[in-house]
Amino acid sequence: MSEQVFEATIAKDQRIEPRDWMPEGYRKTMIRQIAQHAHSEIIGMQPEGAWITRAPSLRRKAILLAKVQDEAGHGLYLYSAAETLGADRGDLTRRLIEGRQKYSSIFNYPTLTFADVGVIGWLVDGAAICNQVPLCRSSFGPYARAMIRICKEESFHQRQGYELLMTMMRGTPAQREMVQDAVNRWWWPSLMMFGPPDAESPNTAQSMAWKIKRHTNDELRQRFVDMSVPQAGALGVTLPDGDLRWNAEREHYDFGEIDWSELKRVISGDGPMNRERIAHRRRADEQGAWVREAAAAHAAKRQGVPA
Amino acid sequence: MSGEIKHEWPLFEVFVRAKRGLNHVHVGSLRAADHEMALHHARDLYTRRNEGVSIWVVKSDDVVASGPDDKDAFFGPSGDKAYRHPTYYAIPDSVPHI
Ligand SMILES: [Fe+2]
Ligand SMILES: [Fe+2]
């Protein structure tokens, strides 16, 4: 009976809500996907956060601060969505810092210059937008609603990054070189953000059937490439791929082979910054513990309950 | 130390009034030590871009909700009461303003 209701709800393109009956596999997949997404937003504060104190002007500092604060907010919307399925926020954080749950591979690369801040906004947030817009129609209600809030905010992220890069491109030859260097380093990892190729993505079929996912990894990756090429042209940078060219027959850009061994390496913990990202998150959790405990004790005292 | 104290603060549900004249609408939840902190966190988390003019926070434990299994008992009976709707009544087109 309840399984029929679930299937019928999905078939009618309606949303599943937290207290509805759902298959165990759906619940598990949903918790894992939302948690990984939340972790990505939280860890994703680090690469750009590192530049807040070194932003070249008060304007850029205020923008970057607002953007990084948004990413914290995205993480919190998503942890809140995961909790509607019975997950516990503290437990999810422990899974992250103990390496038992993953986050997006992209945040394991270093931000070497301020141009990286612009390229992250343009390409990394751009890829995130490609991924996230279809998720606004994901079948799980709280996740879809969180994605709608997030997508509204992402557009600012991408535009501030692109504007930053346009400003640098109008600057000195050294600044233009800095932008090109950042593009060279971030282009391929951005393509990897869409995950393994469809042929090696065993869970895609089930996620599509449950309408958790609306497009395959390769479809979204192609969409991102098609959007980015003209943007690179307008900016005046070259995307580091000799095989990139318009295919009139397919009406898409062809692009070169992605180094999947690199993605595997970074996902399994061996990227340039994996250890540092997790160590930083663990430190923040440990150093914040006394604040959380003191606030809880204060609240208990004011209520007249012994802590 | 942290082993004895619960890792998480209680959960609060957040409702925001987008502008004067509208109802408060549920926007999500958050964790806070008490109501005052919940209000401040709600401000930071859900109204960074003028999304609201007023916020309510309610402890999630204090919300009583009907469940999916109550659906028929709760909402079924109104299904066969078409006479509660204006379109149930046939009035000739020639009668104005009704
Ligand atoms: Fe985000
Ligand atoms: Fe973003």
Side-chain angles (χ1 to χ4, degrees), chain A residues 148-218:
Chain A
I148 291 172
R149 296 190 73 84
I150 289 174
C151 284
K152 275 187 195 156
E153 300 179 348
E154 289 294 353
S155 160
F156 140 62
H157 297 179
Q158 194 185 21
R159 290 173 67 104
Q160 64 81 32
Y162 196 81
E163 189 229 45
L164 190 167
L165 297 176
M166 288 197 319
T167 309
M168 286 187 84
M169 290 302 282
R170 286 195 299 268
T172 64
Q175 285 175 308
R176 279 194 287 280
E177 224 165 88
M178 212 182 262
V179 173
Q180 183 62 57
D181 170 67
V183 171
N184 292 348
R185 284 181 289 109
W186 288 94
W187 173 249
W188 289 104
S190 299
L191 294 189
M192 295 177 198
M193 283 176 70
F194 297 92
D198 292 349
E200 285 163 50
S201 178
N203 300 325
T204 293
Q206 179 62 78
S207 285
M208 301 264 289
W210 278 334
K211 297 185 184 171
I212 293 172
K213 230 171 140 164
R214 296 289 185 154
H215 305 280
T216 71
N217 297 351
D218 287 335

Side-chain angles (χ1 to χ4, degrees), chain A residues 70 80 83 90 292 302, chain B residues 8-9 29 31 36 48-49:
Chain A
D70 273 355
S80 143
E83 284 191 297
R292 295 194 297 274
R302 288 218 305 191
Chain B
E8 287 297 344
W9 294 324
S29 62
R31 295 274 178 176
E36 196 185 332
R48 288 194 300 281
R49 289 182 176 78

Side-chain angles (χ1 to χ4, degrees), chain A residues 19-21 66 69-74 76-77 80-81 83-84 87-91 93-94 149 152-153 156-157 285 289-293 295-296 298-299 302-303, chain B residues 1-11 13 26-31 33-37 44-49 51 59 64-72:
Chain A
R19 296 180 65 189
D20 292 339
W21 183 92
Q69 190 192 14
D70 273 355
E71 305 301 3
H74 296 175
L76 296 179
Y77 305 153
S80 143
E83 284 191 297
T84 66
D88 174 86
R89 205 176 293 220
D91 175 58
T93 298
R94 279 189 290 279
R149 296 190 73 84
K152 275 187 195 156
E153 300 179 348
F156 140 62
H157 297 179
D285 188 62
W290 73 269
V291 179
R292 295 194 297 274
E293 288 165 13
H298 177 68
R302 288 218 305 191
Q303 280 178 357
Chain B
M1 177 171 68
S2 41
E4 288 166 26
I5 294 176
K6 263 193 75 202
H7 188 84
E8 287 297 344
W9 294 324
L11 197 62
E13 302 299 323
H26 184 245
V27 292
S29 62
L30 52 76
R31 295 274 178 176
D34 56 23
H35 288 89
E36 196 185 332
M37 187 193 273
D44 292 343
L45 188 54
Y46 290 107
T47 62
R48 288 194 300 281
R49 289 182 176 78
E51 290 95 335
K59 260 196 177 156
V64 180
S66 70
D69 296 339
D70 304 328
K71 200 175 142 230
D72 287 343

